[in-house]
Amino acid sequence: MSASEPLRLQISQVGDYAFRIEFEGTQLEALLTDEPAPLGHDSGPNPSRVLLAAIGNCMAASLVFALRKFKNQPGPITAGIRATPERNAEGRWRIPRADIELRLAEPGENHAQLERIMAQFENFCVVTQSVREGIEVQARVLDSNGRQLHPPPQA
């Protein structure tokens, strides 16, 4: 896959709030997501947890990339991420903030160019920077006949 190719996923409902996510064009195993009770059956992570996992994973990988860019050989990096959902002004659940802690396997002074690395590693994270900048999402709903239900077709 090149960076300019579209990322494609196929998502299919398999239960009340359970969905199977397939990663088109890859050999990756499908991912099962589900909502916790009382809506779902907690048979997989819910989308909010997947979002946090994407942020945390991307930040950790970006730190590894930045360290290696300056010829460092870091040990395994760990990350912990925490967020508390809150209701917005309309009463809808949102994740207004995520706090992540990344931990190096060795002392910072063991790495060359540490100040430069710390100043730039977050900018390498596609997911975090996309979330921070706001991702434009255009939704379209079609019925089983292919008729567009949302947004209303232009008259």
Side-chain angles (χ1 to χ4, degrees):
M1 179 186 84
S2 80
S4 62
E5 288 182 33
L7 302 173
R8 296 182 188 274
L9 287 78
Q10 187 64 39
I11 303 169
S12 306
Q13 186 177 12
V14 296
D16 289 335
Y17 290 90
F19 290 84
R20 177 183 173 88
I21 303 171
E22 297 176 80
F23 305 91
E24 291 185 6
T26 74
Q27 298 298 314
L28 298 172
E29 292 285 329
L31 174 66
L32 180 68
T33 62
D34 195 5
E35 291 294 330
L39 291 176
H41 303 285
D42 221 4
S43 59
N46 69 355
S48 296
R49 285 188 168 88
V50 173
L51 173 67
L52 293 178
I55 292 169
N57 186 170
C58 190
M59 289 283 276
S62 294
L63 182 54
V64 169
F65 176 82
L67 286 161
R68 288 181 178 168
K69 180 179 170 188
F70 291 101
K71 309 295 186 236
N72 293 294
Q73 296 299 317
I77 289 176
T78 59
I81 188 163
R82 179 185 175 118
T84 303
E86 296 176 7
R87 291 196 184 269
N88 65 10
E90 292 81 34
R92 308 276 194 254
W93 287 109
R94 299 294 183 259
I95 298 174
R97 173 189 174 106
D99 297 304
I100 185 167
E101 181 177 284
L102 300 156
R103 189 171 294 262
L104 298 174
E106 55 282 314
E109 59 270 11
N110 288 14
H111 296 294
Q113 301 289 324
L114 190 64
E115 191 173 312
R116 282 182 72 187
I117 292 165
M118 293 299 114
Q120 65 182 235
F121 85 93
E122 290 185 51
N123 291 322
F124 297 130
C125 182
V126 172
V127 174
T128 300
Q129 295 307 335
S130 297
V131 169
R132 284 179 176 161
E133 293 175 15
I135 301 170
E136 181 181 336
V137 177
Q138 305 237 349
R140 201 166 56 125
V141 179
L142 307 175
D143 71 9
S144 61
N145 294 320
R147 184 172 56 104
Q148 186 169 316
L149 306 175
H150 173 82
Q154 301 296 332

